[in-house]
Amino acid sequence: MTVHQHLKWIFSATCLAVLPGCAPAEQTAHAAVAEIQPLAIDPKRFIENAEKDMEHSSEIAGRAKWIYANFITEDTAALVSEAGRIYTEKAVRYASDAAALDNSKLSTVEQRKLEMLKRAITLPSPADPSKSQRLANLGTELNGLYGKGRFCLSQDNCLSQPQLSSIMANSRDPEQLKQVWQGWREIAKPMRALFTEQVQLANEGALALGYNDVGELWRSKYDMPAQQFPQQLDALWEEVKPLYESLHCYVRGELNQNYGDNVVPPRSPIPAHLLGNMWAQQWGAIYPIVAPKETPGADYDLTELLNANGYDEITMVQQAERFFTSMGFEPLPQTFWQRSLFVEPQDRHVVCHASAWDLDNKDDIRIKMCIRKNGEDFNVIHHELGHNIYQRAYKDQPFLFKGSANDGFHEAIGDVISLSLGPNYLKQIGLIDKQPSAEADIGLLLRQALDKVAFLPFGLMIDQWRWQVFSGEITPENYNQSWWQLRQHYQGVMAPVARTEADFDPGAKYHIPASVPYSRYFLAHILQFQFFQALCKEAGYEGPIHRCSIYNSKKAGAKLNNMLEMGLSEPWPKALASITGNEQMSGQALLNYFAPLQQWLDLQNEAADRQCGW
Ligand code: X8Z
Ligand code: ZN
């Protein structure tokens, strides 16, 4: 881009008449000057204008997205594409201008704002308007295919994603599980060509911004050189991998006992349909199959407790809200209750995958979720409210600092609360009469590990795949094969039926069609244990860490809130240290939490003479 074009854009894009202090006459005057004689841009003014403009556009794009996700039709698709196109085009222009500006005379805060402008985009559009329009349309279409996805068990029994997930969690019939597993993946086949085109266009946009590809852009968002980020992830994974391997070995052994050698071969990767989850990403639902045999009945089942106590979708959310208010956070606004989606509508298509929204960058916070009345969704509700509480806490930050310290932080906050939903808390809210004795501890830890530890390699492999797709190491001809190679390599799971390149299994996982980067969830699964350990200490808790609850702790709440309010105004190590006293992400807190379980798993595997690995 030439200097001339560069200036022309600044004046046309940052000076919208809808913004205060930006009269159309002024716009014309500047544009005219820019045409004749390029002036040095005042970087401060650039940042101010960009920030205002992005704030405005993000609100429009956000509202369009909300309507589309709650009401998927041709019309809402057209509108969300248009709003998304405008927003992305602006973001790309600002990112490219921000990179070209001389920042040497700027304050640290202003320099950081420029940095935010440079990295704000997920899928940058190419400059060519027709390509930019196409990229916006592709995103909408992919999202729509996922949201509308159904699998019909019979002609008049077509099931949505949450309904199919219930079968994956509760059925113990391997044939039925296989059928549902395979059926859901049919929805992704038509995504393949669209995804391929999306990758190509977004890469073109990334290249124009000075990145080698989209993956490099994604890796550049962590306050460290982009090439260091994969090493950071690898180091964390190496720390926790032995625990995953012990869990994998134990679970495969128990599944083998339950289903037999034909269904679960003792040395192979675990067939992915038997782990209680559509994507084999969290395995908590198969706890009854793998629960410790020596302490029958020592534990409890959260789904049963919720149902026995008459919880419904709304009271589940109210109970989750009470957790946050018990720590000193303000109640959710009335509009949250009026505008959120809690129950899957029967009369229209929606995107059911749970999400939390901040519609006006201030108080209009909402969730959108097709809640099922079970323990898993009780946890997810806390996860989503964690997002909303974070968003509200940083609402007084300037727009460019409205965000979490890094994206893993946003995903970790609600989960910190979920870690507190153990027996201690359940007794306090009257769901159980007395705390189970210490002999239940291994079961409780195992239940938790099936979700939190099993998730780790899944959280890692999704972007390993996508990074290689963006870099061209993985080509469309081997999208599916490479997906399963990574699944096997990291998770030790395998497809239960033969797959071919006519399939597009990545597309059956929400975050692929929705283009949501996934490393954030891996980080969150590490960070939440660091936060939890530090906040339990702040709450004055003494005892085994997995029994800690920060319910009612105003001290822990204040400490947490203090970090949330920072938004992304500081590099994430500062935010991390404000809670934990340490600037490093580390798997040690997670390992401490599960230390008794690790010992127990190794004993079990040894006693059963299991050969671990795959
Ligand atoms: O997508 C989510 C949340 C919304 S941010 C429900 N999660 C990941 C997933 O479901 O794949 C939370 C855990 C991982
Ligand atoms: Zn989330």
Side-chain angles (χ1 to χ4, degrees):
M1 181 187 275
T2 64
V3 176
H4 181 80
Q5 283 171 318
H6 178 76
L7 285 180
K8 202 168 151 203
W9 162 253
I10 296 284
F11 292 124
S12 57
T14 60
C15 221
L16 292 178
V18 288
L19 292 177
C22 192
E26 191 191 3
Q27 191 177 353
T28 319
H30 279 306
V33 173
E35 295 289 339
I36 304 160
Q37 187 189 0
L39 293 172
I41 307 164
D42 173 7
K44 289 190 187 185
R45 173 119 197 269
F46 166 78
I47 294 170
E48 261 172 47
N49 284 338
E51 191 160 37
K52 270 190 207 154
D53 191 20
M54 291 294 284
E55 181 161 20
H56 175 74
S57 288
S58 81
E59 192 180 326
I60 310 259
R63 289 187 192 280
K65 253 180 125 166
W66 172 267
I67 297 169
Y68 179 59
N70 278 276
F71 196 83
I72 307 175
T73 70
E74 295 72 23
D75 308 311
T76 55
L79 292 173
V80 76
S81 295
E82 183 60 5
R85 179 189 65 76
I86 293 171
Y87 178 79
T88 305
E89 282 180 5
K90 281 186 182 181
V92 167
R93 298 292 187 117
Y94 287 129
S96 123
D97 292 341
L101 277 183
D102 172 14
N103 66 3
S104 57
K105 296 203 181 66
L106 293 176
S107 69
T108 324
V109 167
E110 287 157 344
Q111 287 190 10
R112 190 160 172 82
K113 285 190 175 179
L114 276 187
E115 183 58 32
M116 294 311 142
L117 281 173
K118 282 195 269 179
R119 51 152 114 145
I121 317 161
T122 306
L123 294 181
S125 49
D128 177 341
S130 65
K131 290 184 176 175
S132 150
Q133 182 68 64
R134 178 70 185 147
L135 183 63
N137 293 347
L138 286 167
T140 303
E141 214 177 315
L142 284 163
N143 261 306
L145 283 171
Y146 191 92
K148 287 186 287 190
R150 294 285 182 278
F151 171 57
C152 302
L153 279 173
S154 60
Q155 213 178 10
D156 51 3
N157 188 17
C158 294
L159 303 182
S160 67
Q161 208 294 305
Q163 293 168 323
L164 296 167
S165 272
S166 288
I167 299 180
M168 294 306 294
N170 298 315
S171 169
R172 303 291 181 241
D173 170 359
E175 285 310 310
Q176 187 189 28
L177 288 167
K178 201 190 283 180
Q179 185 196 13
V180 170
W181 187 96
Q182 196 171 357
W184 173 246
R185 280 158 178 76
E186 288 295 304
I187 67 133
K189 286 183 174 175
M191 294 180 192
R192 174 185 269 269
L194 304 173
F195 177 81
T196 308
E197 200 184 342
Q198 185 188 49
V199 167
Q200 198 211 330
L201 288 174
N203 265 343
E204 202 177 318
L207 207 61
L209 286 177
Y211 299 93
N212 287 320
D213 58 62
V214 173
E216 194 189 21
L217 166 62
W218 288 11
R219 294 189 295 274
S220 75
K221 304 183 189 210
Y222 296 91
D223 299 312
M224 65 176 87
Q227 70 271 21
Q228 267 175 32
F229 184 59
Q231 294 160 20
Q232 163 86 82
L233 291 184
D234 285 349
L236 292 168
W237 172 230
E238 285 305 320
E239 256 188 296
V240 295
K241 195 160 79 176
L243 175 58
Y244 178 73
E245 287 169 344
S246 301
L247 180 69
H248 180 281
C249 191
Y250 173 77
V251 166
R252 181 175 59 190
E254 297 298 307
L255 287 176
N256 170 270
Q257 290 235 313
N258 187 75
Y259 288 111
D261 281 4
N262 283 341
V263 180
V264 184
R267 293 296 316 276
S268 305
I270 305 174
H273 63 312
L274 303 175
L275 289 158
N277 176 278
M278 184 61 89
W279 308 276
Q281 65 178 65
Q282 283 131 341
W283 307 346
I286 59 156
Y287 177 72
I289 303 183
V290 304
K293 310 279 179 292
E294 61 264 31
T295 51
D299 42 28
Y300 52 81
D301 181 86
L302 187 51
T303 301
E304 279 169 20
L305 294 178
L306 290 168
N307 292 339
N309 285 274
Y311 276 81
D312 62 22
E313 295 87 347
I314 310 295
T315 49
M316 283 164 77
V317 183
Q318 286 168 340
Q319 186 61 50
E321 180 196 31
R322 270 197 287 281
F323 201 115
F324 287 94
T325 53
S326 87
M327 295 176 72
F329 290 97
E330 289 293 310
L332 293 161
Q334 263 314 308
T335 50
F336 170 90
W337 300 102
Q338 291 154 352
R339 298 172 189 175
S340 290
L341 178 83
F342 300 119
V343 182
E344 182 173 10
Q346 295 308 309
D347 60 345
R348 63 182 200 267
H349 286 297
V350 304
V351 177
C352 266
H353 189 86
S355 53
W357 299 63
D358 177 4
L359 274 291
D360 64 352
N361 297 310
K362 284 194 283 289
D363 306 299
D364 192 351
I365 46 181
R366 315 174 190 173
I367 65 170
K368 183 177 63 58
M369 190 174 164
C370 303
I371 299 175
R372 290 168 296 153
K373 291 178 265 182
N374 62 33
E376 184 189 340
D377 272 9
F378 194 50
N379 279 291
V380 177
I381 291 168
H382 289 82
H383 174 95
E384 297 308 331
L385 290 195
H387 286 307
N388 280 155
I389 297 292
Y390 211 153
Q391 288 157 342
R392 193 177 53 183
Y394 56 62
K395 71 174 181 171
D396 293 329
Q397 288 287 345
F399 177 72
L400 290 171
F401 293 158
K402 284 184 192 186
S404 54
N406 71 38
D407 54 6
F409 282 56
H410 230 307
E411 300 302 336
I413 302 311
D415 284 13
V416 173
I417 307 300
S418 293
L419 288 176
S420 278
L421 305 181
N424 189 334
Y425 171 68
L426 296 180
K427 180 165 180 296
Q428 287 187 70
I429 65 166
L431 279 186
I432 53 178
D433 303 333
K434 60 175 181 25
Q435 286 216 39
S437 63
E439 66 170 16
D441 276 11
I442 291 298
L444 293 170
L445 279 168
L446 178 60
R447 177 72 184 72
Q448 198 71 282
L450 289 171
D451 281 339
K452 303 290 182 182
V453 178
F455 181 80
L456 293 162
F458 183 79
L460 203 59
M461 65 73 53
I462 301 264
D463 280 353
Q464 299 291 329
W465 184 80
R466 255 187 312 204
W467 291 349
Q468 290 184 50
V469 166
F470 286 129
S471 75
E473 283 161 83
I474 294 174
T475 56
E477 296 74 51
N478 51 43
Y479 273 167
N480 220 56
Q481 192 197 350
S482 57
W483 174 262
W484 283 105
Q485 277 163 355
L486 287 165
R487 295 270 271 160
Q488 170 156 344
H489 174 75
Y490 282 103
Q491 289 183 277
V493 305
M494 62 183 186
V497 286
R499 309 308 283 160
T500 73
E501 291 303 326
D503 299 304
F504 183 57
D505 295 330
K509 174 66 197 159
Y510 169 76
H511 302 71
I512 303 289
S515 296
V516 180
Y518 211 81
S519 304
R520 60 183 61 178
Y521 300 106
F522 174 80
L523 294 178
H525 278 68
I526 299 286
L527 284 166
Q528 61 187 265
F529 288 93
Q530 294 187 263
F531 293 145
F532 187 61
Q533 186 174 284
L535 293 175
C536 285
K537 191 161 167 226
E538 187 70 15
Y541 174 81
E542 284 165 8
I545 184 76
H546 65 278
R547 288 219 178 202
C548 163
S549 171
I550 52 176
Y551 185 57
N552 270 334
S553 172
K554 304 280 183 293
K555 275 187 82 184
K559 187 136 200 158
L560 179 59
N561 188 48
N562 175 53
M563 183 189 82
L564 302 186
E565 281 180 348
M566 291 163 68
L568 49 73
S569 63
E570 299 271 5
W572 64 259
K574 293 265 173 303
L576 178 57
S578 77
I579 289 194
T580 64
N582 192 316
E583 295 198 348
Q584 307 289 322
M585 289 194 273
S586 153
Q588 199 51 53
L590 181 147
L591 293 176
N592 290 345
Y593 184 102
F594 289 112
L597 179 72
Q598 165 102 55
Q599 222 184 5
W600 183 85
L601 289 171
D602 291 343
L603 275 175
Q604 302 299 309
N605 291 333
E606 231 178 86
D609 204 16
R610 288 181 182 132
Q611 297 209 35
C612 299
W614 53 86

mmCIF file of all heavy atoms in Angstrom, residues 185 188-190 192 480 499-505:
data_model
loop_
_atom_site.group_PDB
_atom_site.id
_atom_site.type_symbol
_atom_site.label_atom_id
_atom_site.label_comp_id
_atom_site.label_asym_id
_atom_site.label_seq_id
_atom_site.Cartn_x
_atom_site.Cartn_y
_atom_site.Cartn_z
ATOM 1 N N ARG A 185 -21.593 -36.503 11.985
ATOM 2 C CA ARG A 185 -20.506 -36.067 11.113
ATOM 3 C C ARG A 185 -20.924 -35.875 9.654
ATOM 4 O O ARG A 185 -20.177 -35.282 8.867
ATOM 5 C CB ARG A 185 -19.312 -37.026 11.256
ATOM 6 C CG ARG A 185 -18.520 -36.685 12.520
ATOM 7 C CD ARG A 185 -17.669 -37.766 13.095
ATOM 8 N NE ARG A 185 -16.956 -37.260 14.273
ATOM 9 C CZ ARG A 185 -17.518 -37.075 15.483
ATOM 10 N NH1 ARG A 185 -18.779 -37.383 15.690
ATOM 11 N NH2 ARG A 185 -16.815 -36.569 16.493
ATOM 12 N N ALA A 188 -21.066 -32.265 8.351
ATOM 13 C CA ALA A 188 -19.836 -31.514 8.063
ATOM 14 C C ALA A 188 -19.351 -31.690 6.623
ATOM 15 O O ALA A 188 -18.537 -30.896 6.145
ATOM 16 C CB ALA A 188 -18.740 -31.931 9.042
ATOM 17 N N LYS A 189 -19.857 -32.723 5.947
ATOM 18 C CA LYS A 189 -19.346 -32.973 4.583
ATOM 19 C C LYS A 189 -19.465 -31.748 3.673
ATOM 20 O O LYS A 189 -18.517 -31.402 2.976
ATOM 21 C CB LYS A 189 -20.065 -34.174 3.968
ATOM 22 C CG LYS A 189 -19.607 -35.505 4.557
ATOM 23 C CD LYS A 189 -20.303 -36.667 3.870
ATOM 24 C CE LYS A 189 -19.730 -37.989 4.351
ATOM 25 N NZ LYS A 189 -20.473 -39.126 3.788
ATOM 26 N N PRO A 190 -20.640 -31.085 3.665
ATOM 27 C CA PRO A 190 -20.746 -29.909 2.775
ATOM 28 C C PRO A 190 -19.870 -28.731 3.209
ATOM 29 O O PRO A 190 -19.758 -27.746 2.474
ATOM 30 C CB PRO A 190 -22.221 -29.510 2.858
ATOM 31 C CG PRO A 190 -22.889 -30.461 3.763
ATOM 32 C CD PRO A 190 -21.896 -31.374 4.373
ATOM 33 N N ARG A 192 -16.643 -28.868 3.709
ATOM 34 C CA ARG A 192 -15.254 -29.023 3.270
ATOM 35 C C ARG A 192 -14.827 -27.975 2.239
ATOM 36 O O ARG A 192 -13.816 -27.285 2.430
ATOM 37 C CB ARG A 192 -15.050 -30.439 2.720
ATOM 38 C CG ARG A 192 -13.695 -30.677 2.116
ATOM 39 C CD ARG A 192 -13.625 -32.064 1.502
ATOM 40 N NE ARG A 192 -13.142 -33.046 2.477
ATOM 41 C CZ ARG A 192 -11.873 -33.372 2.659
ATOM 42 N NH1 ARG A 192 -10.919 -32.769 1.945
ATOM 43 N NH2 ARG A 192 -11.528 -34.286 3.544
ATOM 44 N N ASN A 480 -8.829 -34.839 6.395
ATOM 45 C CA ASN A 480 -9.418 -35.762 7.373
ATOM 46 C C ASN A 480 -8.395 -36.740 7.939
ATOM 47 O O ASN A 480 -8.364 -37.004 9.137
ATOM 48 C CB ASN A 480 -10.585 -36.528 6.737
ATOM 49 C CG ASN A 480 -11.739 -36.666 7.704
ATOM 50 O OD1 ASN A 480 -12.228 -35.654 8.213
ATOM 51 N ND2 ASN A 480 -12.137 -37.894 7.987
ATOM 52 N N ARG A 499 -12.775 -43.801 7.873
ATOM 53 C CA ARG A 499 -13.022 -42.437 7.386
ATOM 54 C C ARG A 499 -12.293 -42.249 6.066
ATOM 55 O O ARG A 499 -11.249 -42.873 5.832
ATOM 56 C CB ARG A 499 -12.508 -41.387 8.385
ATOM 57 C CG ARG A 499 -12.955 -41.569 9.790
ATOM 58 C CD ARG A 499 -14.430 -41.715 9.957
ATOM 59 N NE ARG A 499 -15.199 -40.470 9.861
ATOM 60 C CZ ARG A 499 -16.509 -40.456 9.590
ATOM 61 N NH1 ARG A 499 -17.156 -41.573 9.347
ATOM 62 N NH2 ARG A 499 -17.161 -39.310 9.540
ATOM 63 N N THR A 500 -12.826 -41.373 5.223
ATOM 64 C CA THR A 500 -12.170 -41.077 3.955
ATOM 65 C C THR A 500 -12.126 -39.563 3.769
ATOM 66 O O THR A 500 -12.664 -38.823 4.597
ATOM 67 C CB THR A 500 -12.939 -41.671 2.756
ATOM 68 O OG1 THR A 500 -14.129 -40.883 2.573
ATOM 69 C CG2 THR A 500 -13.291 -43.122 2.981
ATOM 70 N N GLU A 501 -11.567 -39.145 2.662
ATOM 71 C CA GLU A 501 -11.520 -37.709 2.395
ATOM 72 C C GLU A 501 -12.861 -37.184 1.869
ATOM 73 O O GLU A 501 -12.987 -35.998 1.564
ATOM 74 C CB GLU A 501 -10.364 -37.362 1.453
ATOM 75 C CG GLU A 501 -8.983 -37.550 2.092
ATOM 76 C CD GLU A 501 -8.769 -36.743 3.384
ATOM 77 O OE1 GLU A 501 -9.301 -35.632 3.497
ATOM 78 O OE2 GLU A 501 -8.073 -37.252 4.297
ATOM 79 N N ALA A 502 -13.855 -38.048 1.782
ATOM 80 C CA ALA A 502 -15.210 -37.531 1.536
ATOM 81 C C ALA A 502 -15.771 -36.968 2.831
ATOM 82 O O ALA A 502 -16.723 -36.185 2.831
ATOM 83 C CB ALA A 502 -16.106 -38.640 1.006
ATOM 84 N N ASP A 503 -15.187 -37.384 3.943
ATOM 85 C CA ASP A 503 -15.614 -36.851 5.247
ATOM 86 C C ASP A 503 -14.844 -35.581 5.551
ATOM 87 O O ASP A 503 -13.766 -35.330 5.018
ATOM 88 C CB ASP A 503 -15.328 -37.882 6.347
ATOM 89 C CG ASP A 503 -16.074 -39.182 6.117
ATOM 90 O OD1 ASP A 503 -17.310 -39.134 6.004
ATOM 91 O OD2 ASP A 503 -15.406 -40.244 6.046
ATOM 92 N N PHE A 504 -15.431 -34.797 6.467
ATOM 93 C CA PHE A 504 -14.731 -33.606 6.945
ATOM 94 C C PHE A 504 -14.998 -33.498 8.450
ATOM 95 O O PHE A 504 -15.743 -32.652 8.915
ATOM 96 C CB PHE A 504 -15.197 -32.361 6.189
ATOM 97 C CG PHE A 504 -14.453 -31.110 6.579
ATOM 98 C CD1 PHE A 504 -13.060 -31.051 6.478
ATOM 99 C CD2 PHE A 504 -15.130 -30.003 7.072
ATOM 100 C CE1 PHE A 504 -12.370 -29.906 6.853
ATOM 101 C CE2 PHE A 504 -14.440 -28.847 7.451
ATOM 102 C CZ PHE A 504 -13.060 -28.809 7.333
ATOM 103 N N ASP A 505 -14.406 -34.433 9.191
ATOM 104 C CA ASP A 505 -14.711 -34.542 10.620
ATOM 105 C C ASP A 505 -14.371 -33.289 11.436
ATOM 106 O O ASP A 505 -15.060 -33.010 12.427
ATOM 107 C CB ASP A 505 -14.041 -35.784 11.193
ATOM 108 C CG ASP A 505 -14.636 -37.051 10.583
ATOM 109 O OD1 ASP A 505 -15.837 -37.010 10.221
ATOM 110 O OD2 ASP A 505 -13.917 -38.053 10.443
#
